[in-house]
Amino acid sequence: GYRPGSLSVSRTGVFVGVSTSDYKDLSQLAGASVQFGGDSAFHYMIANRLSYLLDLRGPSEPVDTACSSSLVALHRAVGALASGDCEIALVGGVNVIASPINSVRAYDNGILSSDGRCKTFDQSADGYGRGEGVAVLMLKPLRNAQADRDHIYGLVRASAENHGGRAASHSAPNPLAQQQLIIDAYRTADVDIRTVGYIEAHGTGTVLGDPIEFNALKAAFGELYRQQGVEAPAQPHCMLGSVKSNIGHLEAAAGVAGVIKVLMMMRHGRSPGNPLLTSPYR
């Protein structure tokens, strides 16, 4: 609800997840000269141009960590707010499919689904369907948002980041690293694991990734029950889903799209569900 001009000269940071360069690819396919587009061919311009346009004086950074880009951007923004590097943060991700190059590469690598859909956590999962979009959040320290009478949709209790290190391949998830990341985040947030009602998973719908993530979450919850000295509830208490089943895999923007889904679930008290789930993993 803010007028863009009201943020001028403020210490507002911009953190944008981006991992593709389709416009640059199209320019090269068209035989454009090296000078075509100037600086606009580089990722830093996505964040920097917005800071320039709105006259924002906080950090201005692109983040490229593939599919986790916008979530790592969120992690960076939380750190910048905590350290005082900025007082407001615009955090988001963008994915535009304008060139066939990345789709062809994904197909050649065998990671695209046969029907273009993400069948997350279903036994019929055979790959992911690419999606495009842009999503942005505005972050503030809670006390500032309350003082400014902002609409507050959610609170970031903690964030965490790691890498899988040496796994089966450069693109294969590491279940132990995933498990540790969940444990670190909940330990920092100081949340009773029995009160967790929903996990928005990565859930691409791949034969390799989904079972690993599913089992890593089970192992992480088991370890958190043990560390917190509590018994696992007799009845299931945590739903599991992924926005990719609804809108496809937005790649660099997938994480922030998932965050917005969770915020809307909390606001409306409803889950959009998993429309393609027929035979779930056990």
Side-chain angles (χ1 to χ4, degrees), residues 18 34 47 56-57 74 77 100 132 143 147 154 186 206 241 251 262 265:
V18 54
V34 176
L56 309 178
R57 306 298 173 87
L74 177 63
E132 59 181 351
R143 61 184 180 277
Y186 279 109
T206 59
E251 298 168 350
V262 174
M265 286 175 61

Side-chain angles (χ1 to χ4, degrees), residues 5 56 72 188 221 256:
L56 309 178
V72 175
T188 302
F221 269 62
V256 69

